[in-house]
């Protein structure tokens, strides 16, 4: 068969990136010292650069001054991955699948809290029901790479008091534009 009839690889439709690919992307970008150091840092708050994620995913390079954090949130049904490129971040997450709709207050079961420290190029992938908060508890600036697929349609923000999680706000992607 003449090779000229074969479609060029660039003509192939992009495949949906899996969580592993998003994490590989996060690791790859986290190791790109030139890009990581190009991020402007602000001691007063987070800074970010939008990146081109693999396969149409949404990706960000984010700078975290000491004390900066996200608060509890989910990712609107997207899955994703992130990796620390500089410094150290703390992730607290819930090892339970929460109902996504129809509640304002939820009493969390005991024993579902997880905490991990991410530094030195370490990262993690997460599924579409992941609820977490990420913060910089260290005394140094941290930089991380995040990727989500599908691009975040919305995020639910939660307030947590003890074992009670309260839905506080739904942020839609249009509001970030
Ligand atoms: Fe998140």
């Amino acid at each position: 068969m003449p090779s000229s009839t074969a479609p060029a690889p660039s003509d192939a439709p992009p495949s949906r990136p899996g969580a592993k690919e998003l994490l590989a992307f996060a690791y790859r970008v986290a190791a790109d010292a030139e890009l990581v150091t190009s991020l402007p840092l602000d001691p007063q708050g987070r800074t970010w650069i939008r990146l081109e994620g693999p396969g149409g995913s949404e990706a960000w390079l984010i700078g975290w001054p000491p004390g900066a954090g996200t608060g509890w949130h989910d990712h609107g049904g997207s899955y994703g991955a992130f990796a620390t490129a500089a410094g150290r971040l703390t992730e607290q997450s819930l090892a339970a699948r929460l109902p996504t709709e129809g509640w304002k207050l939820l009493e969390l079961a005991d024993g579902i809290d997880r905490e991990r420290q991410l530094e030195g190029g370490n990262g993690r992938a997460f599924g579409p029901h992941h609820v977490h908060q990420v913060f910089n508890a260290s005394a140094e600036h941290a930089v991380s790479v995040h990727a989500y697929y599908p691009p975040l349609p919305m995020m639910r923000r939660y307030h947590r008091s003890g074992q009670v999680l309260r839905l506080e706000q739904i942020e839609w992607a249009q509001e970030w534009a």
Side-chain angles (χ1 to χ4, degrees), residues 72 90-96 109-117 124 130-133 135 160:
W72 288 92
T90 303
E91 185 205 34
Q92 292 177 335
S93 59
L94 302 176
D110 288 332
I112 63 169
D113 283 291
R114 300 289 182 271
E115 179 171 311
R116 64 177 80 190
Q117 309 294 324
R124 68 160 304 169
H130 194 56
V131 173
H132 71 170
Q133 66 170 344
F135 53 92
R160 181 165 179 184

Side-chain angles (χ1 to χ4, degrees), residues 4 30 55 68 86-87 110 120 124 126 128-129 135-136 146-147 150-151 163 170 173:
S4 60
D110 288 332
R124 68 160 304 169
F126 55 82
H129 301 285
F135 53 92
N136 181 0
H146 303 247
Q163 291 301 95
I170 295 179

Side-chain angles (χ1 to χ4, degrees), residues 47 54 56 64 79 85 107 115 124 126 134 137 139 153 158 166 168:
T47 50
W64 311 68
Y79 55 93
E107 173 116 24
E115 179 171 311
R124 68 160 304 169
F126 55 82
V134 179
Y158 304 103
R166 186 179 76 231
E168 203 159 55

